[in-house]
Every structure is written in structure tokens, then in C-alpha cells.
Amino acid sequence: MVSRHLYITLPSGMARVVDLSCITLIGRDSENDIVLDDAMISRHHAMLFAKPQGSVLIDLESTNGTLINGRLVLPDTPVLLEDGTMIEFGPVIACYREGVDRHPDR
């Protein structure tokens, strides 16, 4: 099984690694799997789910949108992520990695 991770960097500079499950909900609300406590993040901002060909991200009609590799994604439109894809949730930057257990800058 392929391991899938998000390397998240917060506006404060703090970083963390999150192992992704089959379905991962991202947003400001405390009920999300990944909670991003920032006013620019919607309560239910995005969802990641695993598929055999890789992980897919869906923006859940967030107020400020989600950028993938610098491009705004359409709400409710699945986008297949590749290893090394950069994702922006407001001021929060994340790097999607699969099959690796090291920091993306190394």
C-alpha cells in the first residue's frame, strides 16, 4: 500500500506531517481530520480521498478557494494529485507526498 502524506506549513512557520487516510476532511471546524485554525480557511474547506491511481482533492466550495500548484481549482471538481503537488489553503501551504517518509525539501 502506498503511503500518502501532507507536509503542512502554517503562516507562523510551524510545520507538521499528516498521514492521510482513505478520506481526509480539511478545514477550520474542529470536526475535520486536519484542523487549520485560520480565518482564511473555511469551516469545511476541502476533502482528500484515496483512489488506486492516487489521491484526489475536492474544494468544498470554500470562501477563499484552494490553489494547486498556484492555480485556483473549481469547487466540487476532483483534481488528481501527483507526488510533490503544492496546495494552498489560504495562507497555509501543503505539499502532497506519496510513497516517501521524508521531508519534501530533502
Side-chain angles (χ1 to χ4, degrees), residues 10-27:
L10 303 174
S12 66
M14 294 197 58
R16 64 181 168 150
V17 179
V18 178
D19 295 332
L20 300 175
S21 58
C22 292
I23 298 174
T24 305
L25 296 172
I26 302 167

Side-chain angles (χ1 to χ4, degrees), residues 1-5 20-25 47-58 79-81 96 98:
M1 182 162 179
V2 175
S3 61
R4 295 175 176 143
H5 315 281
L20 300 175
S21 58
C22 292
I23 298 174
T24 305
L25 296 172
M47 177 177 63
L48 290 167
F49 60 96
K51 297 188 74 138
Q53 66 270 33
S55 289
V56 172
L57 179 138
I58 298 177
V79 178
L80 183 63
L81 303 178
Y96 170 78
E98 59 183 43

Side-chain angles (χ1 to χ4, degrees), residues 21-92:
S21 58
C22 292
I23 298 174
T24 305
L25 296 172
I26 302 167
R28 196 176 69 240
D29 192 278
S30 63
E31 293 181 5
N32 288 291
D33 301 304
I34 299 175
V35 177
L36 301 175
D37 189 20
D38 188 282
M40 297 289 292
I41 308 295
S42 293
R43 290 184 46 199
H44 302 286
H45 198 98
M47 177 177 63
L48 290 167
F49 60 96
K51 297 188 74 138
Q53 66 270 33
S55 289
V56 172
L57 179 138
I58 298 177
D59 179 274
L60 300 175
E61 298 182 15
S62 64
T63 302
N64 295 304
T66 303
L67 281 78
I68 294 183
N69 293 327
R71 295 190 143 162
L72 187 64
V73 298
L74 296 174
D76 299 322
T77 303
V79 178
L80 183 63
L81 303 178
E82 297 178 358
D83 185 43
T85 298
M86 298 303 293
I87 307 165
E88 296 176 56
F89 307 103
V92 177

